[in-house]
Amino acid sequence: MVPSVLFAIFAGVLVLSALGVIIARNPVHSALLLILCFFTSAVLWLLLEAEFLALVLVLVYVGAVMVLFLFVIMMLDVNVTRMREGFTRYAPLGAIVSGIIILQLAGAIWLRSGLPAAEPLTPREAGHSNTRELGAVLYTEHVYAFELAAFILLLAIIAAIMLTLRQRPGLKVQDVSAQVKVQRKDRVRLVKMDAEKDS
């Protein structure tokens, strides 16, 4: 009974904070509300006894991605009034698309297994490890898909580096071999000048 009540409370907080991310006027407030969304999602994962997913959500998204978001928001000069103009113009279309997505998700959940909130949360035994089960599934049944995803991510990282390091005018690159071969006479020139007398 208590886990179901806690699940409902944190799910409500998650929905409200997600709405706050959309309707907040300040982008920094939106980012902070998104952090609240991630934390409440992690609590929901903990209530479902998925500890590994909860920790990954906090460490990766809150610890890395959201810090990056905040750096980008603080470094960019965001014109809030101009950004709000597009929001009011596209708000009806966004509401229609959101309603369609919610109906599709609700229909899929209802047709496949019924409403999850109607089923009581049954606690696992003391020695149950969610991390061990995830690892066993990933590295046995889905090992090829897991390796393929890692390869695609590596390829995306290399492609992003190659796109940013393309040759363009005014780009300063480091030539290590030229730095190693440099000599004093190439960098320092001694000039002998006569001393000037103060008038």
Side-chain angles (χ1 to χ4, degrees):
M1 181 64 183
V2 176
S4 299
V5 174
L6 289 177
F7 188 90
I9 292 172
F10 284 108
V13 173
L14 177 59
V15 171
L16 292 177
S17 57
L19 288 175
V21 172
I22 300 171
I23 63 177
R25 295 183 177 272
N26 194 339
V28 178
H29 295 166
S30 295
L32 294 175
L33 286 169
L34 190 56
I35 292 175
L36 179 61
C37 287
F38 289 146
F39 270 112
T40 50
S41 300
V43 173
L44 293 179
W45 283 118
L46 283 176
L47 288 175
L48 294 175
E49 296 187 0
E51 301 87 5
F52 179 77
L53 295 177
L55 291 174
V56 167
L57 188 65
V58 171
L59 292 177
V60 175
Y61 283 92
V62 177
V65 176
M66 286 312 303
V67 172
L68 180 63
F69 279 1
L70 285 174
F71 271 118
V72 171
I73 289 171
M74 299 300 288
M75 290 175 65
L76 295 177
D77 189 14
V78 179
N79 191 353
V80 180
T81 57
R82 186 175 178 183
M83 185 178 62
R84 295 294 295 179
E85 292 175 359
F87 176 78
T88 55
R89 184 173 22 170
Y90 297 112
L93 179 62
I96 293 172
V97 173
S98 301
I100 293 172
I101 292 173
I102 290 171
L103 288 176
Q104 287 179 345
L105 287 174
I109 292 172
W110 189 271
L111 291 175
R112 286 183 62 115
S113 60
L115 193 62
E119 301 175 1
L121 298 174
T122 57
R124 302 278 185 174
E125 59 271 8
H128 176 73
S129 175
N130 181 262
T131 307
R132 186 185 298 115
E133 288 190 6
L134 279 175
V137 171
L138 280 179
Y139 293 110
T140 55
E141 299 178 13
H142 305 287
V143 63
Y144 294 115
F146 186 75
E147 293 295 331
L148 182 62
F151 178 75
I152 291 174
L153 288 175
L154 178 63
L155 188 64
I157 292 171
I158 294 173
I161 293 172
M162 292 301 294
L163 287 173
T164 54
L165 290 181
R166 64 184 184 274
Q167 295 295 328
R168 57 182 184 270
L171 181 65
K172 295 182 179 180
V173 296
Q174 183 179 10
D175 191 356
V176 179
S177 62
Q179 291 176 348
V180 172
K181 294 176 184 177
V182 73
Q183 296 181 358
R184 188 188 65 172
K185 61 182 181 180
D186 299 329
R187 291 288 185 258
V188 179
R189 186 171 57 130
L190 299 177
V191 178
K192 186 175 182 181
M193 298 178 62
D194 297 331
E196 296 182 358
K197 295 181 180 179
D198 295 334
S199 57

